[in-house]
Amino acid sequence: MTDAPTGTAVSTVDVTDPRGDRWGTRRFSLRGRVTLLAAACVAGAVALVSLGAYMIVSSNLYQQLDDNLLARAQAAVNSPPVQTQLEQVPGAFLASADLQIGQLNAYSNKLIYPQAGSPPPYGPQELAVATGESPQSLRTDLSTDTRVVALPSGHGEAMVLAQSMEPTKRTLNELAVVLFLVGGAGIVVAAGAGTAVARTGLRPVDRLTSAAERVAATGDLRPIPVSGDDELARLTQSFNTMLGTVAVSQERQRQLVADAGHELRTPLTSLRTNLELLLSASRPGARSLPEEDRADIEADIRGQLDELTQLIGDLVELARQDEPREQTERVELVEVVERALDRARRRAGDIEFEVDLQPWVLTGDNSSLERAVLNLLDNAVKFSPSGSRVRVTLRPLGDGTAVVEVADSGPGIAEEDLPKVFDRFYRSSEARTLPGSGLGLSIVKQAAERHGGAVYAMHAPEGGALLTIRLPGAPG
């Protein structure tokens, strides 16, 4: 591109790797990290063991060298002298072909040694032994790479022996090479074993990854085959459980949309027909509707709007209850039932409520439970004849749960309808002519299940329907 003020061409280089890593670097995969970790652990263990072995062997070899040198020096001191053609020398001179040996005289500072050999190195330490100032000396002479020992032999003399450390160092070097090769082979084997273990152990993770990518790309929620009973198998089972939950949730959403569309179609069609009649009658030249017909149409429109409003409100309530519950509170169930009764009485007309409430406490959502109880009360009022009674009971069962029972005085529920009354949009043949969205009892069921409870539909002793919410908790 060209810089605007100066016109200078400036080239740019994208240093971002196509996979998203800065500067073209990439992170190790989990399999690579497992392999690297296994190799690093083995390398560390091998290094520690090899170093320890090398140090122990080195210390032992040098100690053996010193012990052998001291023993031979002591034997040389104790050996009897031997007369040669020129002079008398220590007998050890005749058996010292593998080391350097000599006798140091402190007074003359002269060292005698075998003519066929070479003199051992000596210095102040050896002179101190010859004069008797030191009982012995043992040192390494760096200039000749030898180990030098001196022992007093009497009369101002000391026996000096020196042995090369080259054989010992050669042995240690060979040991170091062996340890390095063995350790390197061990690291390679460990890396290979780590790769194999990682590949085998992470195969379920690869399947999970492929499944997650498949779900993201296609929405396919089929479960993954599970093999074994280890932690990864449990992870796969948990993932399958999650997929099952998502599938159930999607199916419920699809069913809700389909049922809602079916329920909305009838009032919307009727509402559109009535509005078209009113609009047609209001056009210039059109025959006007009689006032009685107009009033009926307007009343029908208001009823349909009320039905739509209730249906939309119930759908919103169901959607709200499907959301995860973030906050809970202490719920006094008696207070919840009493608030619902206050609201139900205002629209119950001449229907009376027979109430028997015992204290019960649980943890949950006050508003959700109040809506559930109110729906039961409204349902009982809707099916109860004028002037009848609705019985409301809250009592513990003695097993850690309590029930809220609402019994009406209506016609009751047919046997074939009992298992279905809490289903969404289900309406029995007797209820089809009555107002309602078919979602009220479904909201009751959903609220109860969110609080760990259940709902039941039975026949009341009074002859009507008995609807029950069972909730866990404790006596208040």
Side-chain angles (χ1 to χ4, degrees):
M1 64 180 178
T2 303
D3 190 284
T6 61
T8 304
V10 180
S11 61
T12 60
V13 178
D14 186 4
V15 294
T16 303
D17 187 84
R19 293 175 296 275
D21 297 327
R22 292 287 293 174
W23 309 110
T25 60
R26 56 179 299 181
R27 297 179 180 177
F28 277 140
S29 64
L30 181 58
R31 182 179 295 123
R33 290 198 295 270
V34 171
T35 301
L36 183 61
L37 178 63
C41 290
V42 172
V46 168
L48 289 176
V49 171
S50 299
L51 180 61
Y54 183 86
M55 293 180 64
I56 292 173
V57 172
S58 174
S59 176
N60 288 339
L61 287 179
Y62 282 117
Q63 186 63 45
Q64 290 178 9
L65 175 64
D66 291 344
D67 291 344
N68 179 66
L69 200 55
L70 284 170
R72 295 189 67 177
Q74 187 64 49
V77 169
N78 297 330
S79 64
V82 176
Q83 183 65 43
T84 66
Q85 296 178 355
L86 299 178
E87 58 183 340
Q88 193 178 42
V89 297
F93 281 14
L94 303 179
S96 59
D98 59 333
L99 50 75
Q100 299 168 284
I101 187 171
Q103 190 172 44
L104 177 63
N105 189 294
Y107 302 114
S108 62
N109 195 19
K110 180 181 178 182
L111 179 71
I112 60 173
Y113 58 93
Q115 293 182 356
S118 59
Y122 68 96
Q125 295 92 332
E126 288 73 26
L127 287 172
V129 173
T131 58
E133 297 176 4
S134 177
Q136 69 177 39
S137 73
L138 181 63
R139 65 182 180 89
T140 299
D141 187 76
L142 299 178
S143 61
T144 58
D145 196 22
T146 56
R147 195 71 170 157
V148 182
V149 63
L151 291 179
S153 57
H155 309 293
E157 293 180 336
M159 192 66 67
V160 180
L161 281 78
Q163 187 167 5
S164 174
M165 294 190 296
E166 182 62 26
T168 303
K169 289 186 176 181
R170 189 183 308 113
T171 301
L172 291 176
N173 289 337
E174 293 173 354
L175 174 64
V177 171
V178 170
L179 292 176
F180 179 79
L181 294 177
V182 172
I187 294 172
V188 172
V189 171
T195 302
V197 170
R199 182 181 295 111
T200 303
L202 295 177
R203 190 172 293 123
V205 178
D206 292 337
R207 289 201 299 267
L208 288 178
T209 302
S210 300
E213 292 172 349
R214 186 191 73 222
V215 171
T218 65
D220 184 4
L221 299 177
R222 289 176 299 172
I224 306 170
V226 181
S227 60
D229 57 356
D230 55 6
E231 290 81 358
L232 290 174
R234 289 171 53 196
L235 176 62
T236 305
Q237 291 173 350
S238 300
F239 191 82
N240 286 340
T241 302
M242 181 190 69
L243 290 179
T245 303
V246 173
V248 170
S249 177
Q250 285 187 353
E251 181 60 30
R252 290 176 60 188
Q253 289 175 0
R254 283 193 292 265
Q255 188 64 40
L256 177 62
V257 171
D259 292 341
H262 176 75
E263 292 293 324
L264 287 169
R265 188 178 296 114
T266 300
L268 285 174
T269 302
S270 178
L271 186 62
R272 180 176 181 176
T273 302
N274 289 329
L275 288 174
E276 287 178 348
L277 283 174
L278 290 178
L279 291 173
S280 297
S282 64
R283 292 193 183 101
R287 186 169 62 89
S288 62
L289 289 173
E291 288 299 324
E292 183 178 352
D293 291 343
R294 179 181 290 273
D296 289 341
I297 292 175
E298 290 176 353
D300 196 15
I301 289 175
R302 282 193 293 271
Q304 289 156 1
L305 289 175
D306 290 341
E307 185 177 350
L308 285 173
T309 301
Q310 181 179 357
L311 178 58
I312 293 172
D314 288 342
L315 287 172
V316 171
E317 179 67 20
L318 280 174
R320 189 182 71 84
Q321 291 197 13
D322 276 337
E323 296 174 354
R325 187 170 50 184
E326 297 180 354
Q327 293 182 349
T328 57
E329 55 187 334
R330 176 185 171 91
V331 177
E332 296 283 351
L333 199 53
V334 171
E335 297 178 0
V336 169
V337 176
E338 288 176 344
R339 288 197 302 270
L341 280 167
D342 290 340
R343 296 172 62 183
R345 286 190 179 103
R346 289 195 291 268
R347 48 200 185 198
D350 58 353
I351 294 177
E352 297 183 0
F353 292 91
E354 180 183 335
V355 181
D356 180 17
L357 306 178
Q358 299 182 38
W360 192 256
V361 177
L362 68 152
T363 300
D365 183 359
N366 265 297
S367 62
S368 174
L369 290 173
E370 183 179 341
R371 176 65 184 269
V373 175
L374 179 61
N375 284 0
L376 289 184
L377 297 175
D378 286 343
N379 186 78
V381 169
K382 180 168 64 174
F383 287 98
S384 295
S386 178
S388 62
R389 289 177 178 268
V390 173
R391 178 168 55 84
V392 182
T393 306
L394 169 57
R395 60 186 178 87
L397 297 181
D399 60 352
T401 63
V403 291
V404 178
E405 298 175 333
V406 178
D408 61 49
S409 302
I413 305 174
E415 286 293 336
E416 61 272 16
D417 291 330
L418 283 176
K420 306 174 184 177
V421 294
F422 291 102
D423 294 345
R424 291 177 176 177
F425 298 106
Y426 181 79
R427 303 179 76 180
S428 64
S429 56
E430 293 82 1
R432 295 187 189 279
T433 58
L434 298 175
S437 64
L439 293 175
L441 295 184
S442 178
I443 293 174
V444 175
K445 178 182 178 181
Q446 189 164 330
E449 290 177 347
R450 288 192 68 190
H451 289 80
V455 290
Y456 308 96
M458 296 171 285
H459 298 292
E462 297 88 339
L466 175 62
L467 301 181
T468 303
I469 303 177
R470 184 173 182 175
L471 295 169

